[in-house]
Amino acid sequence: MKIEKTIEWIKQDNLKGVSRMIDQTLIPYEYKKVDIDTTEKMYNAIKTMIVRGAPAIGIAGAHGVILAALESLNCSDFKSEVISKANYINSSRPTAVNLSWAIKKQIEIVENSNETNEKIVELLIENAIKLENEDIEINKKIGEFGSAVIPKGATILTHCNAGALATVGYGTALGVVRSAYEKDSTIKVFADETRPRQQGARLTTYELTRDGIDTTLITDGMSAYFMKKGMIDVVVVGADRIALNGDSANKIGTYMVAIAAKYHNVPFYIAAPKSTIDSSIKTGDEIVIELRDKKEVTEINGKSICANDVNVINPGFDVTPSSLITGIITEYGIFKPEDLYKIFE
Ligand code: MRU
C-alpha cells in the first residue's frame, strides 16, 4: 500500500484545521476518510475505533489537544481548559500508552509556554506534524532492524493489525514484514483473524494483499495447529504498552499465540517504538486492560450470534510475559526483554 497517512493534521484558514483519518470501521467494505473537528468527536473516534492501533491513537491524541486549544481560545483560563479537555480525550482508551504519551507531550507545550494562545496553537500543530513524520521514520527503522530476524522464505505469523493503518504509515510488525519483503519477496504471512473486532481479517489482509505479499487468513484457534505442522517460522506482533521488564500488552489472544510459539520453539518478537515502553511500570501486572462492549462478542454485523441471556466478558488486550518473548524490535535495535531498560540509558 502506498504511504498515505492513516491520520494527519490538515491546516485550514487562519489557525483552523481538522484531523483527517481513514475510517477503519469501514474497511474492507469502503475506504473513506473522515474529518474530526471537535474534542468530543475525537473522543468518540478513538473509543469507537474509527482510529485504532497504539501509535495512530497517539497522533489522534496530539490532534485532540490542538482541537482542545482551538475550542478554548477565548477562555479566560485557557491553559486549564485545554488540559481538562486533553484529559477527557486521554480517558477514551486506557491500555495503549502512546495516547497518554503524545497528549503529555502536547500538554508540556501548553504548560511551559508564555506565548499568546494563538501562538500556543501554532506550536501544538507544529509538534503534532513532527510526531506524524517521526512515526513513519521510526517504523522504517523498526522494519530494517526486524527484517534481520526473518529467515529467507519464512512464513511469519501476526496477530491483530500492527500495520500502516495502526500507525501514521508503514507499521511496526507489518513494517518488519514490509522490510523483509523488500529483501526477499518469497516470504509469506499468516494473519490471525483477531476476534472480536477482526483487525487481522479486515485490516491486515487488506494492507498486505495490496502490497502483493502472500497472505493467508486463519482463525485465532488455528495458530498452534500450523506451528505444530512446522508451517510458521517466526511470530511478529505489535504492542500497546510494554513494561520495563519486557512484559507486553497487545491485542487479546496474543498471549495464547506466545504460549503456542514457546511450546513449538517458534521465535516470538514484539515490534514497537520506544514510545510504547512505559518506563513508569516495572511489570505487566500494572497494565490496565480495557474492557469493551459485550456486543463486540455477541453480535456480528449487528446480528446476535448467541443466546440472549449468556454472560459475556470482553477484555481488549492481554499481557504476554517477557519469558515468552524472544526479542523486542525497536527503532534503536532489538532488545532481549531483560535488557530493555537499556533503551532509556
Ligand atoms: O484495539 P486495537 O485495534 O487498537 O489494538 C491494536 C493492537 O493491539 C496493535 O497490535 C497495537 O496497537 C500495535 S499497533 C502498531
Side-chain angles (χ1 to χ4, degrees):
M1 196 158 77
K2 91 174 165 43
I3 295 203
E4 188 183 29
K5 286 180 173 179
T6 293
I7 174 166
E8 65 183 320
W9 185 258
I10 302 292
K11 289 184 188 173
Q12 296 172 332
D13 285 347
N14 301 320
L15 283 177
K16 290 263 155 40
V18 294
S19 176
R20 184 162 293 166
M21 57 182 73
I22 299 170
D23 184 343
Q24 300 191 41
T25 62
L26 301 178
I27 292 177
Y29 311 111
E30 206 182 326
Y31 180 88
K32 191 176 133 194
K33 294 197 173 179
V34 287
D35 287 350
I36 300 296
D37 57 1
T38 67
T39 46
E40 198 175 341
K41 284 186 198 165
M42 185 58 88
Y43 176 93
N44 288 324
I46 299 171
K47 181 126 194 131
T48 62
M49 294 165 65
I50 287 173
V51 59
R52 39 66 53 199
I57 65 171
I59 300 301
H63 291 176
V65 183
I66 305 172
L67 295 170
L70 286 169
E71 287 169 8
S72 313
L73 267 182
N74 298 322
C75 292
S76 54
D77 203 353
F78 172 77
K79 288 191 176 182
S80 53
E81 191 65 20
V82 177
I83 291 166
S84 122
K85 283 173 184 275
N87 289 336
Y88 162 66
I89 293 168
N90 194 30
S91 68
S92 54
R93 293 192 80 186
T95 305
V97 71
N98 307 62
L99 178 61
S100 54
W101 173 85
I103 288 178
K104 193 163 160 248
K105 282 194 171 293
Q106 294 286 63
I107 287 181
E108 275 165 13
I109 290 176
V110 176
E111 281 178 333
N112 300 332
S113 175
N114 293 320
E115 306 279 0
T116 61
N117 297 352
E118 286 74 13
K119 181 68 192 168
I120 292 177
V121 173
E122 273 176 32
L123 293 174
L124 291 173
I125 294 171
E126 216 172 274
N127 190 47
I129 294 173
K130 180 170 147 269
L131 292 177
E132 286 171 22
N133 294 329
E134 278 174 2
D135 180 72
I136 297 176
E137 292 316 309
I138 287 169
N139 294 339
K140 288 196 168 162
K141 285 186 191 154
I142 290 173
E144 185 57 32
F145 282 120
S147 63
V149 302
I150 307 298
K152 193 164 167 32
T155 297
I156 305 160
L157 176 79
T158 192
H159 189 77
C160 193
N161 172 267
L165 291 164
T167 60
V168 180
Y170 204 67
T172 56
L174 297 193
V176 173
V177 168
R178 287 195 162 93
S179 180
Y181 178 75
E182 278 164 31
K183 294 170 185 149
D184 169 18
S185 63
T186 68
I187 62 150
K188 295 182 173 59
V189 173
F190 269 42
D192 278 347
E193 173 194 20
T194 318
R195 275 281 289 153
R197 291 290 294 250
Q198 292 156 321
Q199 292 94 327
R202 293 190 304 107
L203 309 176
T204 295
T205 69
Y206 181 88
E207 277 193 33
L208 295 181
T209 54
R210 262 160 192 73
D211 275 0
I213 298 172
D214 186 326
T215 306
T216 302
L217 174 65
I218 61 172
T219 67
D220 297 342
M222 294 178 185
S223 51
Y225 170 82
F226 287 113
M227 286 180 197
K228 187 172 184 217
K229 280 180 129 2
M231 290 170 66
I232 307 292
D233 300 296
V234 54
V235 179
V236 186
V237 297
D240 290 84
R241 192 183 290 251
I242 304 175
L244 258 194
N245 72 343
D247 291 350
S248 298
N250 191 48
K251 181 51 53 195
I252 192 76
T254 303
Y255 177 32
M256 193 171 69
V257 174
I259 292 171
K262 185 80 170 179
Y263 186 79
H264 293 100
N265 281 320
V266 174
F268 179 97
Y269 288 94
I270 297 281
K274 187 182 170 188
S275 54
T276 302
I277 304 165
D278 184 349
S279 59
S280 75
I281 58 170
K282 290 200 178 82
T283 77
D285 293 342
E286 293 171 69
I287 298 175
V288 176
I289 300 295
E290 177 183 14
L291 278 179
R292 293 193 57 87
D293 196 323
K294 293 174 183 177
K295 281 193 176 160
E296 290 185 344
V297 177
T298 59
E299 293 183 359
I300 291 183
N301 291 338
K303 248 190 147 180
S304 174
I305 55 160
C306 56
N308 289 335
D309 51 357
V310 70
N311 296 323
V312 177
I313 182 160
N314 182 20
F317 302 90
D318 57 28
V319 176
T320 299
S322 57
S323 56
L324 301 179
I325 298 171
T326 311
I328 298 172
I329 307 163
T330 74
E331 68 272 33
Y332 294 97
I334 304 178
F335 293 81
K336 288 198 180 117
E338 60 271 27
D339 291 334
L340 190 62
Y341 69 93
K342 291 182 183 162
I343 201 170
F344 293 101
E345 283 175 359

